[in-house]
Amino acid sequence: MEKLLNEFSLGLFVWQSLLFILLLLLLRKFAWKPILNAVNEREEGIKNALAEADKARQEMQNINADNERILKEARAERDTMLKEARDIKNSMIEEAKEEAKAQANKLVEQARTTIQNEKLAAITELKNQVAELSINIAEKVVKEELSNKDKQLKLVDQMLDEVKLN
Amino acid sequence: MQRKFTLNLLTFLLVLISFPSFAQHNEEHSEKTEIQNLSQEELDKAERKEYIKHHLLDSYDFNLFSYTTDKGEKKHIGFSLPIILWDNGLQIFSSSKFHHGEAIAEHNGNYYKLYHNKIYKTDTEGSISYDEEHHPINEKPLDFSITKSVVMIFITAVLMFLLFTSLAKSYVANNGIAKGIGRFFEPIVLYIRDDIAIPNIGENKYKKYMPYLLTIFFFIWFLNIFGLTPLGVNVTGNIAITFALALLTFLITNFTGTKDYWKHIFDPLGDSMPWYGKLPLYIILIPIEVLGMFIKPFSLLIRLYANMQAGHIVLMSLIGLMFFFKSWLGSPLSFGLAFAISLIEVLVALLQAYIFTMLSALYFGFASEDHSHHEEEAHAH
Amino acid sequence: MEIPVMVGAGLVVIGVGIGIGRIGGSAMDAIARQPEAYGKIQTAMLIAAALIEGIGFAALFAV
């Protein structure tokens, strides 16, 4: 302890205190404040830049998601459109088929009715003719009867046979 | 590392050169009569001891090295420094008047003599009278001389100022990025902020203490490193310097102390006990706390002083051993040891600066802590 | 500087040595156990060692 006190020099202490405090004040004003401020600013800048980059990435992701969604929608739309078109085509074919069938049926029906009508007409005419013939025959028969009964009968039979053949 | 190595090599070489001359110097001096009857070996031992002691102390001239000419004449390479004394008025003269302690300086009719690195006022003969314990009783004028240490402090201060202002300017010039030599120090500045100031003082209050912590760290570090150079200075190993630094830490600690800090010293138990319960405890507790207030900076000053002093002593002793052995085995061994120790000293230089800064920050943290604030925060959560 | 005082200082230095040794050893153990806390452990170690060292120096200079 005595050695320490002996070594202590007041002059050196005063000079040291003076110079050190001066240095401290000067450095505080001209060095540490600008340095710490600059470092802080830079750190803030880096932090901000990182946040910004994060935000941009988020946005990018959003845009990508949007794109995906739009693409998906478009694809779905295309699919529905294709499906619709196919449906329409099918229905048209169906309809056409249906119509053709109906038309055909109608034609057949018409033909059939025509045939029926013709047949009926023919039958009617036949009947009329048969009736006329019958009347004629009957006339002849009546005439024959007047002459020869046997002959008349024979004639009737003959006539009838003829009719049957018809 | 390369540079440090070169520096150490230079230290070694310069010490080597200056050794014999200092030996001579001391031989012719005050110890002359005392060591006359001793053997050559003991003589050498005493010389080395004296040389190491001399190296550890401050001096009034900036002596780089000295040598002895063939004629036995001593030559000192270096320069003189001004002596400033307060002795019935300001007395300013050059230290060259002392002729490296060999002569009595005369100025304005007053006579001064250097004795054991202190200036005493004497008569024309330069006689010094002693008391019974062999302490000089001559009058000691108030001494504000620009000594070697003051010069080194000044050089360090200028160097630091130039270095860090240039660093500060480079931020402005380069858009926030450090350039040049200051770039090397930027990570250290950041380290002091992030690993010393913020953890010990706290996010809210560290800014106030940053200039002091940074200044003290670089100041001690640079001076420690200068102590390892061939300049042969031992500034941070001087009790007056470390005392001034520790005093500043002490003053800042106590002047920025919050109410809680003082409460912690004078009322450490708080409301946990009624006053009559606290009274007997406080008779013991308060003196301990108050003592602790002074012991903290005192340990700071002793630690730095002792570490630097011890490092220099060990280094000088190992170098001295080389001359003691004078053999092919011993001297290289001591050289290797001295080299290893000087590498460790480079680490110690940094470590002591770090510890001083760290402990200062810790004490500032104690002083600026705010208990009620923390409690409020805790309640809020 | 009487002999007993010097012996006392020596004893203090032995104690300080043991103390700092223990701090260093414990810090090594702690680092081995938690290598990620290296920085914090080192800081705490240095502070503790520095405080004990202070006592050692005080004893040495009290001689």
Side-chain angles (χ1 to χ4, degrees):
Chain A
M1 197 49 82
E2 199 189 332
K3 183 172 163 274
L4 286 188
L5 289 178
N6 195 36
E7 263 183 37
F8 185 84
S9 148
L10 183 71
L12 190 54
F13 167 74
V14 169
W15 277 113
Q16 153 73 13
S17 303
L18 214 76
L19 285 172
F20 186 81
I21 290 170
L22 194 71
L23 176 70
L24 177 62
L25 294 178
L26 279 175
L27 279 181
R28 188 170 74 170
K29 187 158 193 304
F30 294 110
W32 303 132
K33 275 222 169 104
I35 288 172
L36 290 172
N37 284 343
V39 167
N40 270 348
E41 247 169 57
R42 199 181 55 196
E43 275 168 4
E44 287 295 311
I46 289 170
K47 217 186 266 172
N48 286 346
L50 280 177
E52 215 111 290
D54 222 38
K55 221 169 99 188
R57 196 164 49 227
Q58 199 69 37
E59 264 168 27
M60 201 66 192
Q61 259 171 3
N62 284 347
I63 286 169
N64 273 345
D66 266 12
N67 279 348
E68 202 97 319
R69 195 173 48 83
I70 287 166
L71 208 69
K72 220 169 165 181
E73 273 177 10
R75 208 171 284 143
E77 209 167 329
R78 195 195 62 186
D79 280 356
T80 48
M81 273 165 81
L82 278 175
K83 201 164 165 261
E84 261 171 39
R86 208 177 294 129
D87 282 356
I88 288 168
K89 183 190 81 180
N90 283 349
S91 66
M92 270 169 83
I93 290 169
E94 208 68 19
E95 256 171 47
K97 265 185 188 166
E98 210 68 15
E99 211 169 305
K101 219 185 221 167
Q103 200 73 23
N105 283 351
K106 212 168 138 192
L107 281 173
V108 169
E109 201 62 35
Q110 262 177 1
R112 202 173 287 146
T113 37
T114 313
I115 290 166
Q116 202 70 29
N117 289 345
E118 291 296 315
K119 205 168 123 190
L120 275 176
I123 288 170
T124 316
E125 213 183 300
L126 202 62
K127 272 178 185 167
N128 287 347
Q129 275 177 2
V130 168
E132 211 173 307
L133 209 57
S134 307
I135 290 160
N136 284 345
I137 290 163
E139 215 180 273
K140 275 173 188 171
V141 168
V142 170
K143 269 175 195 170
E144 275 294 306
E145 214 168 340
L146 291 165
S147 54
N148 190 345
K149 204 179 173 184
D150 289 340
K151 236 180 168 177
Q152 280 179 349
L153 278 170
K154 226 173 149 181
L155 192 71
V156 170
D157 279 340
Q158 201 187 339
M159 286 295 177
L160 274 174
D161 279 345
E162 272 171 21
V163 169
K164 258 176 205 170
L165 278 171
N166 239 352
Chain B
M1 207 36 117
Q2 189 71 45
R3 220 183 72 197
K4 294 279 152 56
F5 176 75
T6 325
L7 284 183
N8 279 307
L9 202 69
L10 273 173
T11 320
F12 165 69
L13 287 174
L14 278 169
V15 166
L16 205 72
I17 293 163
S18 56
F19 214 90
S21 64
F22 265 108
Q24 189 96 30
H25 168 98
N26 287 316
E27 194 182 358
E28 289 187 359
H29 243 51
S30 49
E31 259 78 3
K32 196 173 176 181
T33 45
E34 293 168 32
I35 54 180
Q36 235 165 11
N37 332 334
L38 300 171
S39 69
Q40 183 60 36
E41 197 177 304
E42 279 168 324
L43 209 86
D44 285 352
K45 237 184 195 165
E47 279 164 19
R48 274 167 212 136
K49 209 170 156 189
E50 194 56 37
Y51 176 69
I52 291 169
K53 227 160 111 189
H54 179 85
H55 164 86
L56 293 172
L57 292 171
D58 203 2
S59 70
Y60 288 98
D61 45 24
F62 209 113
N63 205 8
L64 289 172
F65 60 92
S66 49
Y67 60 94
T68 314
T69 56
D70 296 335
K71 291 171 193 162
E73 202 179 343
K74 277 193 303 296
K75 292 270 183 192
H76 294 276
I77 306 297
F79 45 90
S80 307
L81 297 167
I83 303 274
I84 302 166
L85 298 176
W86 184 264
D87 183 25
N88 299 323
L90 213 54
Q91 314 278 351
I92 301 171
F93 55 96
S94 166
S95 72
S96 59
K97 282 193 179 178
F98 283 119
H99 292 284
H100 305 282
E102 291 154 33
I104 298 141
E106 185 271 328
H107 186 74
N108 284 354
N110 294 316
Y111 294 91
Y112 303 102
K113 187 176 162 49
L114 261 182
Y115 177 75
H116 279 283
N117 223 40
K118 280 200 189 313
I119 295 174
Y120 292 95
K121 200 173 177 184
T122 60
D123 48 23
T124 42
E125 301 295 314
S127 58
I128 285 180
S129 33
Y130 305 97
D131 59 10
E132 56 267 27
E133 283 177 350
H134 202 71
H135 292 308
I137 49 167
N138 284 43
E139 192 194 339
K140 265 199 290 184
L142 276 178
D143 180 5
F144 297 106
S145 306
I146 309 284
T147 58
K148 200 173 172 180
S149 295
V150 177
V151 170
M152 275 324 290
I153 292 165
F154 190 72
I155 290 172
T156 311
V158 170
L159 190 76
M160 273 175 74
F161 184 73
L162 292 178
L163 198 64
F164 291 110
T165 45
S166 82
L167 175 63
K169 273 182 202 135
S170 80
Y171 279 111
V172 183
N174 293 295
N175 224 349
I177 292 160
K179 264 239 170 98
I181 189 133
R183 217 164 143 184
F184 174 69
F185 295 101
E186 193 205 271
I188 302 171
V189 171
L190 289 181
Y191 180 81
I192 291 170
R193 190 193 62 176
D194 296 336
D195 288 297
I196 294 179
I198 292 178
N200 287 316
I201 302 172
E203 193 81 59
N204 302 322
K205 296 192 170 174
Y206 80 93
K207 280 206 173 107
K208 190 167 56 174
Y209 299 105
M210 274 309 281
Y212 178 70
L213 292 177
L214 286 166
T215 313
I216 207 157
F217 176 82
F218 286 110
F219 187 77
I220 294 174
W221 188 31
F222 285 2
L223 280 177
N224 284 352
I225 291 291
F226 277 134
L228 295 173
T229 60
L231 294 172
V233 286
N234 184 23
V235 184
T236 40
N238 192 306
I239 195 81
I241 304 290
T242 58
F243 178 73
L245 292 173
L247 184 70
L248 221 53
T249 296
F250 174 76
L251 290 177
I252 292 175
T253 308
N254 288 297
F255 277 117
T256 63
T258 56
K259 219 172 72 194
D260 287 298
Y261 169 71
W262 292 109
K263 199 182 163 213
H264 184 78
I265 290 172
F266 291 109
D267 189 15
L269 293 171
D271 302 327
S272 62
M273 238 184 236
W275 67 270
Y276 50 84
K278 287 194 286 192
L279 203 64
L281 285 174
Y282 277 6
I283 292 170
I284 307 163
L285 270 182
I286 291 177
I288 289 176
E289 290 282 351
V290 171
L291 208 62
M293 221 164 87
F294 293 100
I295 283 177
K296 280 172 189 168
F298 182 73
S299 76
L300 272 186
L301 88 91
I302 290 291
R303 177 174 307 108
L304 183 59
Y305 164 77
N307 267 294
M308 297 330 289
Q309 189 86 317
H312 280 255
I313 291 172
V314 169
L315 215 67
M316 298 298 284
S317 306
L318 283 171
I319 292 168
L321 273 183
M322 276 180 248
F323 300 92
F324 176 74
F325 282 127
K326 281 182 190 155
S327 73
W328 283 104
L329 183 67
S331 294
L333 204 72
S334 331
F335 171 72
L337 254 166
F339 179 63
I341 291 290
S342 49
L343 285 186
I344 289 173
E345 280 303 303
V346 173
L347 179 73
V348 168
L350 180 62
L351 193 70
Q352 287 309 316
Y354 168 72
I355 292 209
F356 199 104
T357 316
M358 181 80 175
L359 290 174
S360 292
L362 199 70
Y363 300 155
F364 296 158
F366 289 149
S368 66
E369 74 183 333
D370 224 337
H371 282 299
S372 56
H373 185 65
H374 285 299
E375 275 161 25
E376 271 167 33
E377 264 184 2
H379 284 305
H381 283 302
Chain C
M1 256 201 256
E2 296 96 32
I3 298 292
V5 179
M6 291 162 99
V7 171
L11 286 175
V12 171
V13 170
I14 290 173
V16 166
I18 293 170
I20 292 181
R22 275 187 58 82
I23 289 169
S26 308
M28 290 291 162
D29 286 347
I31 291 167
R33 210 171 295 133
Q34 275 176 293
E36 70 276 2
Y38 176 75
K40 279 185 179 172
I41 293 167
Q42 194 191 34
T43 307
M45 177 188 84
L46 285 179
I47 292 173
L51 290 174
I52 293 179
E53 195 188 44
I55 296 171
F57 285 134
L60 278 184
F61 285 104
V63 172

